[in-house]
Amino acid sequence: MSLKTFSCRVLSKYLNHSVVASCKPSRARDAAAVLGRSHSRGYYNSGKASRTGPGVGANVRVVDLRSDTVTKPGPAMRQAMAEAEVGDDVMGEDPTVNELQKIAADMFQMEAALFVPTGTMSNLIAVMVHCRERGDEMIVGDLSHLHIYEQGGSAQLAGVHATTVDTLPDGTFDLEQLESKIRHGYPDPHYPRSRLICVENTQNIQGGRVLPLNFLQEVLALADRYGLSVHMDGARLMNAAVALGVPPSTILQHTHTVSVCLSKGLGAPVGTILAGPQDFISRAVRCRKALGGGMRQAGIIAAAGKMSLLQMVGRLEEDHRNAKTFAQALLSCDPTLFAVDMAAVETNILRFRLQEPSLGPSEFCARMGQVGEGEEAALGQGIIVKMYPHYANSVRAVWHLGISPEDTQLAIQKMQFVASQFLKEKTRAQ
């Protein structure tokens, strides 16, 4: 079943109208080499976003490409939130939360689902449920969000040890290396007990890479062989589904549990869905409560989550298209200042390098984030484009529902202006 057909059936069942935008299947691409690994521990090398400041005039447009977490709910979503029927969710009595969980479980073809405040909490809950004893071990990618960006919560709060495998440029692992990380001989007192393998789809740090279905199938077979579980950090699972042209359940048949963010490209202001077997979710409810994630009249935000799942999936294709448009513009810059692997631009996240040694990522982002001298005269307006310096001497830009094709063209104009100004300065200095 195609994603378009799947989306229409779901919407007909729950809303009786069609998706906002159509979904055109795209072919999964072969793995391609992208930017190299860095030994630096800082993946967002700047940490501070450019700000417009009080002195910026009205004739300035801002294009925020820092992350798809900066999206804001639109009027229809705000209305749905205002009108949501609510109850006490800790008591299981919030009808809107219950409906959201049912919609998600059906969509993912999982037995049950749980509404959780954040993706970080959702991943932590999954680790806590799968790894039931302190000192158990999970295997994660060394560039995974769970390992890098979640403060080591699995060890800090759950007492779960992590061992890592190399995250390859396409977001996958070497399966032989993965198998070598599995501990044997339990209850030998020297070693932790292997319990869990975690995968990330799409893979954030490597540029929104979509994990191939055959890779996921092989990981699950490996896990089953040794009695391990597989959890997917599917923060951007829907981007992967749109890129592959399949319903999310096609991807999730190769995992035991999944965490899916509603607050990124799907546009909800807050919330994540954790899904899996019924006994897993029953245990997850207890962990959520212990971590302070038990919410009361949560239907107000669950209403936004419902709209995200039922109306916002189809439009992700536009984000992917806009990211590719910008990537192609980088390659068209003359002379060539930027390096982009177009085969790696699969979803809404773009990573690119600057090939000019005297123009590093931090300076480039700073120039993009301020109105330069002569810019308004040259472009007819000032344009501020916010993006982050990234790891391995690269820059990351992320497209989302707040960025239109017109905004993408503004970002291209600003990039071309910054490049031309830099080249003029370099020529004068020689």
Side-chain angles (χ1 to χ4, degrees), residues 6 10-11 13-15 95-110 112-113 238 248 262 273 275 302-303 305-311:
F6 169 81
V10 170
L11 292 177
K13 178 177 180 181
Y14 290 104
L15 289 185
T96 308
V97 172
N98 291 340
E99 187 178 5
L100 169 62
Q101 293 172 165
K102 178 65 165 57
I103 291 169
D106 289 348
M107 183 177 287
F108 302 157
Q109 290 296 287
M110 297 281 191
M238 295 307 193
L262 306 174
I273 291 292
K306 283 175 52 182
M307 183 169 287
S308 292
L309 288 180
L310 296 175
Q311 297 190 42

Side-chain angles (χ1 to χ4, degrees), residues 48-356:
K48 294 183 179 180
S50 303
R51 300 186 183 276
T52 57
V56 174
N59 193 32
V60 174
R61 295 283 297 273
V62 178
V63 181
D64 194 340
L65 301 179
R66 290 174 296 170
S67 176
D68 47 7
T69 61
V70 303
T71 59
K72 298 178 181 179
M77 186 173 285
R78 288 179 178 272
Q79 182 178 355
M81 295 167 70
E83 297 175 353
E85 186 179 358
V86 300
D88 191 317
D89 181 48
V90 174
M91 298 180 183
E93 297 175 354
D94 190 301
T96 308
V97 172
N98 291 340
E99 187 178 5
L100 169 62
Q101 293 172 165
K102 178 65 165 57
I103 291 169
D106 289 348
M107 183 177 287
F108 302 157
Q109 290 296 287
M110 297 281 191
E111 289 182 4
L114 182 67
F115 186 46
V116 179
T118 71
T120 295
M121 181 183 287
S122 183
N123 282 334
L124 177 57
I125 291 171
V127 172
M128 292 172 70
V129 176
H130 285 300
C131 303
R132 301 179 186 179
E133 299 178 19
R134 296 183 67 84
D136 281 347
E137 184 174 69
M138 63 177 180
I139 305 171
V140 299
D142 65 336
L143 297 182
S144 66
H145 191 282
L146 202 154
H147 183 62
I148 298 294
Y149 293 126
E150 299 181 9
Q151 207 186 105
S154 298
Q156 182 182 168
L157 301 174
V160 175
H161 183 258
T163 189
T164 62
V165 291
D166 293 341
T167 304
L168 300 178
D170 65 350
T172 66
F173 313 140
D174 177 86
L175 292 174
E176 290 186 2
Q177 185 189 35
L178 176 62
E179 186 172 14
S180 75
K181 296 288 183 172
I182 299 173
R183 311 277 188 170
H184 304 285
Y186 180 84
D188 186 307
H190 295 90
Y191 309 112
R193 183 179 184 179
S194 297
R195 288 278 200 179
L196 178 66
I197 299 170
C198 296
V199 295
E200 182 179 335
N201 199 14
T202 64
Q203 214 293 331
N204 178 4
I205 287 182
Q206 295 289 36
R209 300 306 300 269
V210 178
L211 300 187
L213 294 177
N214 64 331
F215 166 75
L216 294 173
Q217 184 176 15
E218 291 172 334
V219 170
L220 181 62
L222 183 65
D224 288 343
R225 191 182 316 151
Y226 293 103
L228 277 62
S229 298
V230 177
H231 172 69
M232 178 179 288
D233 175 1
R236 297 178 176 88
L237 171 71
M238 295 307 193
N239 292 90
V242 168
L244 291 175
V246 300
S249 58
T250 298
I251 298 172
L252 296 178
Q253 66 182 316
H254 304 304
T255 66
H256 295 107
T257 60
V258 67
S259 172
V260 180
C261 285
L262 306 174
S263 59
K264 292 186 170 67
L266 298 181
V270 64
T272 290
I273 291 292
L274 179 64
Q278 182 61 62
D279 64 334
F280 170 88
I281 293 299
S282 296
R283 292 174 179 269
V285 171
R286 289 184 54 81
C287 293
R288 184 186 69 173
K289 181 65 174 175
L291 294 173
M295 299 176 285
R296 299 297 176 176
Q297 288 70 38
I300 292 173
I301 51 177
K306 283 175 52 182
M307 183 169 287
S308 292
L309 288 180
L310 296 175
Q311 297 190 42
M312 305 302 286
V313 176
R315 61 147 310 279
L316 294 175
E317 186 179 28
E318 180 178 320
D319 298 338
H320 301 178
R321 188 164 52 248
N322 288 337
K324 289 181 176 68
T325 297
F326 189 85
Q328 288 164 347
L330 289 172
L331 288 179
S332 299
C333 186
D334 186 23
T336 303
L337 287 179
F338 308 99
V340 183
D341 179 1
M342 288 301 300
V345 188
E346 297 179 311
T347 57
N348 64 320
I349 301 176
L350 169 65
R351 280 185 57 209
F352 59 94
R353 278 190 299 115
L354 289 105
Q355 301 194 113
E356 172 58 54

